[in-house]
Amino acid sequence: MELYFAYPSSYSQKVLLALYEKGIEFTPKLVNFMDDAERAKYRELYPIGKIPLLIRDDGRLIPESTIIIEYLEEAFPSENGLIPKDPEAARRVRFLDRMCDQYLNDQVVNMIFESMKPEDQQNQELLLKSSELIGVIYGLLNEQLASRTFLAGDHFTMADCAAIPPLYYARSFAEFSIFENIGAYWERIQSHPAWKRVHEEAAPHIKKILGDG
Ligand SMILES: N[C@@H](CCC(=O)N[C@@H](CS)C(=O)NCC(=O)O)C(=O)O
C-alpha cells in the first residue's frame, strides 16, 4: 500500500493519524507541490491533484481522507476502531468528521493562504466568513468535549483524526481561550502516540514553510 502525501498537509496528517493509530504499514510517497514538474506528474496519476491518495496493493486508487480512513477501518478492523460498529455512534463520528473537514479544516486553509497575501489583496469577506465558521465549530467541539476524553467518546476515532490537524494550525490565530474544553483536549492529545509521531515528523517541514514548529 502506498500513500501519496505531504507532511505539512492537514488532510495528509488526518490519514497519517489513522495509519499510526492502527499500526498499519505503508510505503510513503512524498509529494512536493512547490515543484511544478512534480505537481504535473502527480496530476497524471490523479487528475484532481489533491493529497492524500492511497494506492492499494492491487493498484486501485483511494482518494479523499475520509474515504481512505473508511477503507482502512474496513480492511484492518479492530476492537475500538476509528469508526464505531454501533450505527448511531458511527453516524456521530461521520458528522464530526464532516464538520471538521468542511467548516474547520477548509476554513483554516483559507485563513492561512489569505493571510500570506499582501493585505490589500486579501479577500476580507472570505476571511470573515472563515473566521465565523471556525468560531461555530469551536463551539460545537467545546460542547462535545465537555464530557468526553476524545471527540466522540472514550476512544480515539476518525473524528479526532479530522479535528487535530486543523486545530494545530488554527490555534495560533484562533485561540482556544474561552473554549476551555478544547484547550484541555489539546493538552491531553499532545501525549497521544499517533499525534506525537505525526507532529514530530511534520514540524521541520512546517517550520520551512511557516517558520513555526
Ligand atoms: N477533501 C480532500 C481535501 C484534500 C486537500 O485539500 N488536500 C490539500 C492539501 S491539505 C491539497 O492537496 N492541496 C493541493 C491543491 O489544492 O492543489 C480530502 O479530504 O482528502
Side-chain angles (χ1 to χ4, degrees):
M1 220 164 49
E2 294 178 339
L3 182 74
Y4 284 78
F5 73 104
Y7 284 110
S9 141
S10 49
Y11 282 104
S12 297
Q13 292 174 6
K14 175 178 162 186
V15 167
L16 289 172
L17 278 169
L19 287 161
Y20 295 165
E21 182 71 15
K22 290 181 76 66
I24 299 170
E25 299 282 327
F26 64 98
T27 305
K29 304 287 261 185
L30 290 175
V31 182
N32 178 9
F33 279 154
M34 305 290 182
D35 181 328
D36 288 345
E38 202 172 310
R39 183 184 275 266
K41 193 159 176 268
Y42 180 66
R43 278 183 188 267
E44 284 172 23
L45 172 70
Y46 180 50
I48 302 288
K50 297 275 185 189
I51 48 171
L53 171 72
L54 190 80
I55 309 216
R56 293 182 357 182
D57 291 340
D58 64 7
R60 278 203 186 188
L61 269 55
I62 306 191
E64 292 291 316
S65 57
T66 300
I67 311 298
I68 295 172
I69 296 177
E70 295 267 1
Y71 166 73
L72 293 175
E73 199 47 55
E74 189 188 299
F76 304 89
S78 49
E79 179 59 22
N80 290 314
L82 295 172
I83 301 162
K85 292 183 178 66
D86 171 65
E88 203 58 55
R91 230 183 327 273
R92 188 77 198 156
V93 165
R94 290 187 173 105
F95 166 74
L96 290 167
D97 172 75
R98 293 297 74 228
M99 294 298 105
C100 288
D101 275 14
Q102 296 176 72
Y103 308 122
L104 182 63
N105 204 340
D106 288 351
Q107 311 311 317
V108 168
V109 171
N110 287 341
M111 303 274 298
I112 291 173
F113 281 107
E114 283 304 311
S115 62
M116 280 172 162
K117 295 178 186 168
E119 212 168 324
D120 60 342
Q121 287 170 31
Q122 291 175 4
N123 182 337
Q124 297 302 331
E125 203 181 320
L126 183 65
L127 281 169
L128 183 65
K129 201 173 162 208
S130 297
S131 151
E132 277 174 5
L133 275 171
I134 291 171
V136 172
I137 296 304
Y138 272 17
L140 171 73
L141 301 187
N142 200 56
E143 197 184 301
Q144 274 293 121
L145 288 163
S147 57
R148 296 173 177 88
T149 305
F150 294 101
L151 208 45
D154 294 338
H155 305 289
F156 189 93
T157 66
M158 177 165 72
D160 299 287
C161 297
I164 296 167
L167 286 177
Y168 170 78
Y169 285 108
R171 77 199 200 292
S172 60
F173 56 82
E175 289 172 17
F176 302 148
S177 52
I178 58 161
F179 302 100
E180 286 175 3
N181 302 327
I182 301 182
Y185 169 73
W186 189 250
E187 291 304 314
R188 278 198 300 282
I189 223 71
Q190 298 317 303
S191 56
H192 190 77
W195 169 243
K196 267 182 88 175
R197 182 170 169 194
V198 170
H199 179 238
E200 278 164 21
E201 288 174 350
H205 300 269
I206 295 170
K207 201 171 177 181
K208 265 191 226 163
I209 301 171
L210 297 180
D212 179 30

